[in-house]
Amino acid sequence: ANFERVREEPTCELLHQHWFAHGLVMRTPASSIKPKHWWWIRLPYTGFYLDGFTRLEQDYQKKWSARARRAQKKYLTHGLEIRCVSRELFEKEYAQAHTKTPYKSSFIRCFHNLTAIDPTAFRNFLCYQNDTVVAGMSVFDYSPTSSVHFVAFISPEGKDLQAGTGLIDYRFQTSLKQWLTYLSFDHLKDPSMWRSHIGYTQFKENFMDFTVAYKTTYLRAM
């Protein structure tokens, strides 16, 4: 079992609730606080440990990079439409989309399973050119003040139309209406990751205020 960015130590009782009798548990704390029990073994973390965040403000575009502001102006010239849709429609369009996303089937399976737990906690957006979907994004509102990027996709046509920037702007707009304060862009490229992650990291950095690193991971047999 893997617990990422959590404040409390996982307990045997918690594992039993999820049908674990015994097993190996990895934990990446949400802060620099060390585990209370000595039998947590510190590991060199090789997974995703960099996150990007922004503090949402009314005039949020002033904090965007010049490149992002130019992309948003270009997006607005194409007459695209973004709609908030059901999880079923988002999953269907994601499965049909022509993208080069690695592990696409795994992302779709993860989306299907997690959104089924509480569909109301997710906002799913599709970007349309006429009746054709060219990009999509789903975000998870995990607290009254905070939201995290969950999954996204974009077609080659959508890239040329700057649909990704349009979706980011729509996310910011709708988050303001819900009085959200902190928006996470989730995983960024860290030194252990492939060069293929550079592109989406550079894209996210156009909209971020700061980066947070969760570098310490612990292992324990429970």
Side-chain angles (χ1 to χ4, degrees), residues 8-210:
E8 299 296 329
E9 288 189 24
T11 63
C12 292
E13 290 75 18
L14 176 61
L15 293 176
H16 293 164
Q17 291 174 15
H18 294 277
W19 304 287
F20 280 80
H22 301 283
L24 292 176
V25 176
M26 293 179 64
R27 179 201 176 201
T28 305
S31 67
S32 59
I33 298 175
K34 295 181 180 180
K36 300 176 183 178
H37 302 97
W38 64 267
W39 55 87
W40 283 100
I41 303 171
R42 183 167 178 169
L43 299 175
Y45 193 45
T46 58
F48 297 110
Y49 69 72
L50 291 181
D51 264 6
F53 287 85
T54 191
R55 182 182 174 89
L56 188 58
E57 300 174 1
Q58 287 290 337
D59 54 351
Y60 58 82
Q61 285 193 12
K62 291 184 178 180
K63 298 194 295 181
W64 288 7
S65 71
R67 180 179 180 182
R69 293 194 296 271
R70 289 194 301 269
Q72 177 62 8
K73 289 180 180 179
K74 183 177 179 181
Y75 161 79
L76 292 173
T77 65
H78 295 299
L80 304 181
E81 180 186 3
I82 297 177
R83 305 172 193 170
C84 191
V85 301
S86 67
R87 58 185 288 266
E88 292 83 6
L89 180 56
F90 183 91
E91 184 177 333
K92 174 185 175 183
E93 293 293 345
Y94 188 11
Q96 295 176 350
H98 298 288
T99 68
K100 297 180 180 179
T101 306
Y103 312 113
K104 177 181 175 180
S105 60
S106 297
F107 290 157
I108 293 175
R109 183 169 60 252
C110 182
F111 174 86
H112 177 85
N113 292 336
L114 293 184
T115 57
I117 298 172
D118 182 7
T120 63
F122 293 82
R123 286 177 288 146
N124 312 305
F125 313 134
L126 292 176
C127 183
Y128 288 83
Q129 183 183 39
N130 299 321
D131 294 326
T132 302
V133 173
V134 295
M137 173 189 294
S138 179
V139 297
F140 171 40
D141 300 331
Y142 61 90
S143 83
T145 61
S146 305
S147 174
V148 61
H149 170 101
F150 186 56
V151 70
F153 66 91
I154 189 166
S155 67
E157 297 81 7
K159 289 183 179 180
D160 294 337
L161 298 169
Q162 302 298 331
T165 301
L167 285 167
I168 295 288
D169 186 60
Y170 192 80
R171 176 193 178 186
F172 277 48
Q173 291 179 25
T174 54
S175 296
L176 277 174
K177 294 178 181 179
Q178 295 188 201
W179 302 97
L180 296 174
T181 305
Y182 302 102
L183 304 185
S184 166
F185 287 88
D186 202 26
H187 299 143
L188 305 175
K189 183 187 181 307
D190 60 61
S192 68
M193 294 165 61
W194 297 336
R195 288 181 58 84
S196 59
H197 295 270
I198 292 177
Y200 78 74
T201 295
Q202 291 176 336
F203 173 74
K204 292 178 179 180
E205 288 174 341
N206 289 305
F207 314 97
M208 289 166 29
D209 288 344
F210 50 89

